[in-house]
Amino acid sequence: RCKMAAAEGGGGSVNPFLSDSEEDESEEPRPGGGGALELHTELLECGRELPRLRDYFSNPGNFERQSGTPPAAPGPAFSTAMGGPCKEPLPRGGGQEDRAGSISTLDSLDFARYSDDGNRETDERVAVLEFELRKAKETIQALRANLTQAAENEVPLQERKNYKSSPEIQEPIKPLEKRALNFLVNEFLLKNSYKLTSITFSDENDDQDFELWDDVGLNIPKPPDLLQLYRDFGNHQVTAKNVVDVAVGVEEDELEVTTPVLGNIPVFNTTQSIEQCLVVQKLEDQISALNSEKWSLMEQIRRLESEIDFFKRDFAVPVVYDVQTSLDQVPLTVLEDNAQYLDIKSSENDDKLGKTEELILSTSTEEESRTPKDDALNSLPSKEKMPSCSPSSKAAVHFDKPNRKLSPAFHQALLSFCRMSADSRLGSEVSRIADSEKSVMLMLGRCLPHIVPNVLLAKREELIPLILCTACLHPESKERDQLLHILFNLIKRPDDEQRQMILTGCVAFARHVGPTRVEAELLPQCWEQINHKYPERRLLVAESCGALAPYLPKEIRSSLVLSMLQQMLMEDKADLVREAVIKSLGIIMGYIDDPDKYQQGFELLLSALGDPSERVVSATHQVFLPAYAAWTTELGNLQSHLIPTLLNKIEKLLREGEHGLDEHKLHLYLSALQSLIPSLFSLVLQNAPFTSKAKLQGDVPQIEVTRFPRPASPLQDVATIVGSREQLAVLLQLYDYQLEHEGTTGWETLLWVVNQLLPQLIEIVGKINVASTACVHEFSRFFWRLCRTFGKIFTNTKVKPQFQEILRLSEENIDSTAGNGVLTKATVPIYATGVLTCYIQEEDRKLLVGFLEDVMTMLSLSHAPLDSLKASFVELGANPAYHELLLTVLWYGVVHTSALVRCTAARMFELLVKGVHETLVAQRVVPALITLSSDPEISVRIATIPAFGTIMETVTQRELLERVKMQLASFLEDPQYQDQHSLQTEIIKTFGRVGPNAEPRFRDEFVIPHLLKLALVNNQQSVDSKRLDIATHLFEAYSALSCCFISEDLMVNHFLPGLRCLRIDMEHLSPEHEVILSSMIKECEQKVENKTVQEPPGSMSIAASLVSEDTKTKFLNKMGQLTTSGAMLANVFQRKK
């Protein structure tokens, strides 16, 4: 403490700025003043700087030494300069820490050299660091002071005078005042669990950092929170603006320990300062009186409690002698007398009041023992703060009372030698046992934040029940918030099982606390982690939104949660997160009841269907789309909006895709329609005329296992949508009876399907490019599912007649342009593979065979393109179950009386051979082809060559290959075919197609030698058009075969001679091809030379072969370009300059 000795004569021999320790340790007077300096430091830190103190300590002249001796102590002169003599000691501020901090207020480095003990041995390095620190603090202080002054000066001087003279006119808010109020408002929102409002408030004030008070810019310390300001509003006297507040900022517990008096405050020679000091004196007198009254009451309470315990001990045999009970039973006076045996943290200089308070604080069992700077709870007795487990509250627990006559004080002193730790956080928790649910929750709330970080990550899920139970039952919202925050941050990257455990806990929490607390406590935790850097955390948020949907207020479901999921769907880059978002959106769609959100849901559906991830699209079909369809059905929009909108989008795609259809988007919309079929059928059943008759009575008929297509998810199961499998069985029985016997009159939902949906679908099918295998397959699957879902009676009576009317398969339409036009479109393969294959009974198979035979006959006789028939064969040939059926159709063509039909059958075999088993090829295909190869019509024989080539390419049976080889040899060597230009062309094309993939022996012994023969014959051809045609096909065949491995003998004897013959033809007929041929010949010759010169006999350079093949591949690519643009050929092989 500072001793400012007051000498009445105006002077004294004691330095007024030396502390007790300084006075004892050093007889040399000190420059400056220690106590005044500490007062100046405290005022400066509180933002209440006194100009006089600032001027004194800022003047280096007050601290400079002259002739090696410090200046004389200011003594009374300094006191006079400060406004008069100080008669009482100044309050000591922050101890040694504040003394060191006070150096930052000095401008002289020399003063730092004088240490507290008067020696000049302070390390120069410390002095320099303190000097730099002081300068940095001064710079910051000056900048903030300038900022504050600038803010004050923003209002013109005249306006400020007007505000002062007219109090009723409120002064407009200043920018820095606004920032300070913003900070306090945001702090209030966070403390009271208005987290979402706080987030919005922060977004609206994005120029301000609400985490840091210094960002406000005011040169004052942070004020109390809004609640404290409101409560203290009536306790302050409003003073004029020019009054200087000289109070020192202290803590509440310091006020209770040391009560300042008027002498503690410097008095100034101004009327306002004197009035201010009087007001302070008055208030402090009141504080002192109240404190005295409080302590006397507490002492009385203690005395009464000890008397009660004394009487209880007289009437009860057992007694407790633990530390806490003994303390409660000893009167306060006894405790004070024996304080030297207890761990009482007080110094000799503290007064009795300070001893009493610290004694009570050290023996208290309240929670705030680990946070001493708390509110007035610290001054309450322990029994008022926490329920204690004393014998008075639990009469069932008894302990034997020793038959001794020791005083309670002696007992207490004796027990103090037990090694117990009650002064630490953990020790205070261990020393008391909770005796009620509330106290257990409070204890868990205090302990869990310290337990969680010390548990292994792999085992932290074991804490989830404890955290959730505490979060449910804890009485304080702030603690509950902290616990839920711990729950969501429990595991850094939670795996599937850990996330499921957390979600299970969240749902249990939601069921227990209700929708209001779920919204206020759980949702903010989700919102905070919506953009977390770890996808597992974002995954947890996405899954939580769906899991908590049933337990949220309906307004929040359709607004905040829907918006959160929409944001994550659009912005999150992780497929797994978006997949979870889709599933949660599906759950939301099952609970939403705001029709205004229908359009938003539709847009989300389209976004989800168009997602680049297959996982997300699959989740959309399994969860989101069925849930949305169920809501759409309830709103009555399934047939009026959802399905028609998707159909219109498909039609628009077909109109815009004349030059290139976007097949991805077509798949997107068509797959959505396919997933809506179960919902559409359920709507038809539930709105049928017989719905009211559907009663579960007696034996319920069983539904065939194959009645419906396998659903993609349980939500697409018609039984799930209707309610149960039994209910569906009854409805299906009535449905089939209604269709077969009573018709569809008045059945609006089914009539919409028959009269609007089916005609529009058939019209769309007619616009599809039949060559697009993917589109044909998509629509085939769609019609197959539609027909299987709506049943056989519906397919036979409603679907097939509409297709048959469009196709008009009758003999009189053979020459009809309209009929032929329809038969060449995608309607044929989609009807054959999507409708006629739905049911596979004998009559259905006969109908399919008859349809394909009729189409083959009509297309052949009308010389129409065979694309629609080929598409049907490709789609059906992918399923081995239809191979026998297709071979039956082709055999019908083989024995047909028309050569045109037999020709078509021969060409269809080429498509079928690749997918048919070798046994069927040997037993059914080859005999049919050999039969056709001896057909009287040369065109039929020629048509079998591509099929024979495909067999050579795909079959491995030696006998089969020999039969095919013999048949092809007969075509090449039989004199009757020598002048058959079309046959030679077909053989060369087939060799070029199958040669690279055929068996090497067949290629070396049959294909390449026969190509040489054909090239030699072509040199003698007199008709240039035929010669060029053959030469062009030979060029393509040689180009394809050049990529294969060819032995040296074969290269020299057959391949190179064939190329040279071909070059002779091209020199006269196609010079652009001749350039490429010359390069190929040169490369082959070089390859042969390299083999003979560099390589040992019988070896082959793999690298050279690879390089050669790569070069030839490039040649082929160039050749493909040059066949269409011969003018550019001359530039291809020119060296680049």
Side-chain angles (χ1 to χ4, degrees), residues 173-202:
I173 190 168
K174 298 166 187 166
L176 292 184
E177 290 176 341
K178 180 180 178 183
R179 291 171 70 85
L181 288 174
N182 284 349
F183 186 90
L184 293 175
V185 169
N186 185 70
E187 183 184 49
F188 170 78
L189 293 173
L190 284 175
K191 283 184 178 179
N192 292 275
S193 301
Y194 296 107
K195 288 197 173 182
L196 298 179
T197 309
S198 170
I199 292 169
T200 307
F201 186 72
S202 300

Side-chain angles (χ1 to χ4, degrees), residues 626-642:
Y628 182 72
W631 185 37
T632 306
T633 303
E634 291 180 26
L635 295 176
N637 292 340
L638 186 64
Q639 292 183 336
S640 62
H641 177 266
L642 185 55

Side-chain angles (χ1 to χ4, degrees), residues 111-128:
F111 181 69
R113 295 197 181 106
Y114 297 96
S115 61
D116 287 343
D117 59 0
N119 297 323
R120 300 187 54 183
E121 297 176 356
T122 307
D123 189 8
E124 290 293 337
R125 211 165 143 223
V126 175
V128 171

Side-chain angles (χ1 to χ4, degrees), residues 946-1020:
F948 280 123
T950 305
I951 292 173
M952 296 298 299
E953 189 180 13
T954 56
V955 174
T956 57
Q957 290 183 22
R958 177 71 56 189
E959 296 177 2
L960 204 55
L961 290 174
E962 288 298 326
R963 291 177 66 187
V964 173
K965 183 179 174 182
M966 288 174 57
Q967 186 60 50
L968 290 174
S970 69
F971 284 142
L972 288 166
E973 297 168 3
D974 196 329
Q976 63 174 323
Y977 301 120
Q978 292 299 322
D979 297 327
Q980 290 294 331
H981 175 75
S982 57
L983 183 140
Q984 293 175 356
T985 304
E986 196 66 52
I987 285 182
I988 296 170
K989 284 165 61 178
T990 302
F991 282 174
R993 176 172 58 83
V994 305
N997 301 318
E999 187 188 21
R1001 183 180 171 189
F1002 170 71
R1003 180 176 64 239
D1004 295 345
E1005 296 179 1
F1006 188 79
V1007 174
I1008 294 177
H1010 279 94
L1011 284 177
L1012 172 59
K1013 292 179 182 178
L1014 290 168
L1016 288 169
V1017 171
N1018 198 49
N1019 284 157
Q1020 311 301 321

Side-chain angles (χ1 to χ4, degrees), residues 838-1035:
C838 284
Y839 300 96
I840 53 174
Q841 295 177 0
E842 190 60 32
E843 61 270 18
D844 302 308
R845 296 177 71 86
K846 287 181 179 178
L847 186 62
L848 176 58
V849 168
F851 173 74
L852 291 175
E853 290 174 352
D854 291 344
V855 170
M856 182 169 63
T857 303
M858 295 179 69
L859 290 177
S860 302
L861 296 178
S862 58
H863 301 278
L866 302 177
D867 292 337
S868 59
L869 186 63
K870 288 180 179 179
S872 303
F873 268 70
V874 169
E875 186 71 21
L876 292 170
N879 187 351
Y882 294 107
H883 287 172
E884 284 279 359
L885 184 145
L886 293 175
L887 288 171
T888 303
V889 173
L890 290 181
W891 186 253
Y892 165 82
V894 169
V895 297
H896 200 276
T897 55
S898 170
L900 294 172
V901 178
R902 296 199 299 275
C903 240
T904 301
R907 295 191 179 281
M908 288 297 109
F909 273 113
E910 180 188 355
L911 295 175
L912 196 58
V913 166
K914 290 183 179 180
V916 175
H917 194 269
E918 287 190 9
T919 305
L920 277 178
V921 172
Q923 295 176 356
R924 303 282 300 275
V925 177
V926 172
L929 287 173
I930 291 177
T931 302
L932 291 173
S933 65
S934 58
D935 194 270
E937 290 290 333
I938 188 68
S939 60
V940 176
R941 283 177 264 170
I942 293 172
T944 61
I945 293 173
F948 280 123
T950 305
I951 292 173
M952 296 298 299
E953 189 180 13
T954 56
V955 174
T956 57
Q957 290 183 22
R958 177 71 56 189
E959 296 177 2
L960 204 55
L961 290 174
E962 288 298 326
R963 291 177 66 187
V964 173
K965 183 179 174 182
M966 288 174 57
Q967 186 60 50
L968 290 174
S970 69
F971 284 142
L972 288 166
E973 297 168 3
D974 196 329
Q976 63 174 323
Y977 301 120
Q978 292 299 322
D979 297 327
Q980 290 294 331
H981 175 75
S982 57
L983 183 140
Q984 293 175 356
T985 304
E986 196 66 52
I987 285 182
I988 296 170
K989 284 165 61 178
T990 302
F991 282 174
R993 176 172 58 83
V994 305
N997 301 318
E999 187 188 21
R1001 183 180 171 189
F1002 170 71
R1003 180 176 64 239
D1004 295 345
E1005 296 179 1
F1006 188 79
V1007 174
I1008 294 177
H1010 279 94
L1011 284 177
L1012 172 59
K1013 292 179 182 178
L1014 290 168
L1016 288 169
V1017 171
N1018 198 49
N1019 284 157
Q1020 311 301 321
Q1021 178 63 255
S1022 57
V1023 181
D1024 287 348
S1025 59
K1026 292 183 178 180
R1027 186 179 179 185
L1028 178 60
D1029 191 26
I1030 295 291
T1032 304
H1033 287 104
L1034 281 172
F1035 176 80

